[in-house]
């Protein structure tokens, strides 16, 4: 690997071949497409969006006019972006992007051509056009994500729940799939706060939110509904399966080794499940899950109940 540094882009150059998806083309004037054409095109197109995937799509298309390209991979851990355009291959050039010490992630270009230092230099120059629009898009993504997240637990908030449920119910209706909601409420949470302080209560909420994420699939979603209450949206999940998931979470919480100082404190939660009925308003679905939750509370807590 040959490292190369240009402005805000650090390049690692490999040399391998694979079948291309994009091939070099000509400029509008009919001559071979050159770096200057690429820079002009990118300068215009990259001002058109604040969406990370669209920006990289523009970049992928324009770079494919300059050189043979199979695919593009971009990762930015801080905003949970992991994007693949085209096809990944072993023939890669790796670019570490940064600006003023701020890391903007890693971009891999999978090229079907032998990689020369000249080509790497050209691509690094093209990436300089991407740096500022990409940074703005990442800031925009962070702002949107922050507006939809609960700052204490990192789960989605009520607004995110409403948006996700609206989307998921439409998908369930369109594809005739099940969709279930589980409401979870911590038992005796006020007592925990009173006896051990609000810092212990906050730590318990963070621990429970992490535990729920670990117990769920990637496609499932966790939201803080308010206070010590959470909502789980389980896509393509029947009433029976939702009850199984809820019971697994209940048991995991009961067994969670939660320490306050050197003292272990037992935690428990009550859960209520409801499965979407076609055409049912979102607030009705949530209310049925909430009613099942309070049925579990009235029946003695630390248990799961399902809506009829």
């Amino acid at each position: 690997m040959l490292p190369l540094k240009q402005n805000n882009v650090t390049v690692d150059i490999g040399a391998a071949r694979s079948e291309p998806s994009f091939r070099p083309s000509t400029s509008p004037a009919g001559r071979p497409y050159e770096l200057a054409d690429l820079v002009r095109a990118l300068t215009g197109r990259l001002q058109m969006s604040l969406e990370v995937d669209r920006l990289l799509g523009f970049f992928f298309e324009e770079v494919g006019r300059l050189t043979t390209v199979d695919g593009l991979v971009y990762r930015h851990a801080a905003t949970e972006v992991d994007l693949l355009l085209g096809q990944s291959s072993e023939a890669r050039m790796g670019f570490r992007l940064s600006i003023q010490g701020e890391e903007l992630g890693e971009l891999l270009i999978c090229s079907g051509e032998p990689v020369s230092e000249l080509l790497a230099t050209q691509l690094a120059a093209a990436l300089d056009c991407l740096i500022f629009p990409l940074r703005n898009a990442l800031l925009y993504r962070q702002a949107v994500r922050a507006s939809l997240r609960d700052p204490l637990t990192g789960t989605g908030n009520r607004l995110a729940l409403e948006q996700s449920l609206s989307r998921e119910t439409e998908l369930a209706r369109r594809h005739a799939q099940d969709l279930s909601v589980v409401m979870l409420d911590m038992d005796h949470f006020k007592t925990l706060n009173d006896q051990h302080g609000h810092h212990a209560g906050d730590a318990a909420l963070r621990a429970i939110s992490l535990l729920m994420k670990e117990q769920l699939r990637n496609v499932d979603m966790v939201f803080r509904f308010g206070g010590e209450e959470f909502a789980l949206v389980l896509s393509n999940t029947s009433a029976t399966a939702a009850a199984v998931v809820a019971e697994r979470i209940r048991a995991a919480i009961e067994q969670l080794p939660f320490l306050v100082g050197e003292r272990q404190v037992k935690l428990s939660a009550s859960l209520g499940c409801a499965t979407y009925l076609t055409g049912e308003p979102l607030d009705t679905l949530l209310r049925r899950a909430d009613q099942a939750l309070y049925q579990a509370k009235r029946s003695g807590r630390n248990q799961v109940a399902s809506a009829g």
Side-chain angles (χ1 to χ4, degrees):
M1 302 292 282
L2 172 64
L4 179 148
K5 179 77 175 179
Q6 175 163 328
N7 298 334
N8 300 307
V9 182
T10 302
V11 189
D12 293 321
I13 307 172
R17 287 181 174 272
S18 58
E19 283 300 312
S21 299
F22 283 87
R23 295 183 180 277
S25 63
T26 59
S27 71
R31 57 181 170 74
Y33 200 78
E34 298 176 347
L35 177 60
D37 300 307
L38 174 61
V39 170
R40 278 194 295 271
L42 286 174
T43 300
R45 295 192 76 184
L46 294 177
Q47 308 305 315
M48 297 170 59
S49 178
L50 280 173
E51 299 293 336
V52 173
D53 55 347
R54 291 196 67 196
L55 288 181
L56 291 171
F58 295 154
F59 183 83
F60 183 41
E61 291 173 11
E62 295 299 335
V63 166
R65 301 178 192 278
L66 179 68
T67 186
T68 306
V69 175
D70 292 329
L72 178 151
V73 180
Y74 174 71
R75 300 187 182 95
H76 186 251
T79 55
E80 299 179 6
V81 177
D82 193 344
L83 178 69
L84 168 64
L85 299 174
Q87 296 182 338
S88 179
S89 71
E90 294 182 359
R92 293 180 170 186
M93 288 171 284
F95 300 82
R96 295 187 297 277
L97 311 180
S98 64
I99 182 169
Q100 298 174 348
E102 178 185 353
E103 295 297 324
L104 299 183
E106 179 187 26
L107 186 143
L108 304 175
I109 293 179
C110 307
S111 174
E113 287 189 346
V115 179
S116 66
E117 185 170 341
L118 173 61
L119 176 58
T121 302
Q122 290 177 320
L123 291 173
L127 277 165
D128 267 347
C129 299
L130 178 65
I131 291 292
F132 283 100
L134 179 61
R135 182 194 193 190
N136 291 337
L138 291 172
L139 289 172
Y140 174 72
R141 178 180 172 87
Q142 287 174 327
V144 170
R145 283 161 56 86
S147 72
L148 298 174
R149 284 186 179 255
D150 171 58
L152 175 64
T153 63
T155 60
N157 58 20
R158 288 284 289 269
L159 177 59
L161 172 62
E162 292 171 6
Q163 293 182 0
S164 297
L165 263 184
S166 179
R167 180 180 65 250
E168 292 297 323
T169 52
E170 174 59 24
L171 289 172
R173 183 194 62 78
R174 186 184 308 165
H175 299 293
Q177 294 178 339
D178 289 322
L179 170 69
S180 293
V181 171
V182 176
M183 299 295 289
L184 178 150
D185 189 79
M186 297 296 298
D187 296 330
H188 306 295
F189 190 73
K190 185 178 183 301
T191 302
L192 175 65
N193 278 330
D194 291 344
Q195 291 183 354
H196 302 286
H198 288 282
H199 66 283
D202 289 348
L205 293 175
R206 287 192 291 266
I208 295 304
S209 64
L210 179 61
L211 179 149
M212 287 188 288
K213 292 175 185 177
E214 292 173 345
Q215 294 290 325
L216 297 174
R217 305 168 299 177
N218 289 337
V219 296
D220 299 325
M221 292 167 280
V222 181
F223 306 88
R224 190 177 179 190
F225 195 69
E228 64 272 23
E229 192 170 2
F230 293 86
L232 288 63
V233 177
L234 311 179
S235 59
N236 198 19
T237 302
S238 67
T240 301
V244 171
V245 172
E247 173 57 27
R248 185 170 70 236
I249 291 173
R250 184 208 64 77
I253 292 173
E254 186 178 36
Q255 297 166 14
L256 180 68
F258 181 68
L259 294 176
V260 178
E262 297 182 356
R263 179 181 176 185
Q264 182 163 319
V265 177
K266 297 290 290 184
L267 300 177
S268 70
S270 301
L271 301 93
C273 311
T275 300
Y276 175 63
L277 304 174
T278 303
E280 178 180 31
L282 299 185
D283 58 348
T284 302
L285 172 61
L286 289 171
R287 184 167 58 250
R288 289 198 299 115
D290 212 39
Q291 289 171 346
L293 164 63
Y294 283 98
Q295 178 185 334
K297 289 279 191 184
R298 290 191 298 269
S299 300
R301 295 186 173 87
N302 193 23
Q303 57 186 272
V304 174
S306 298

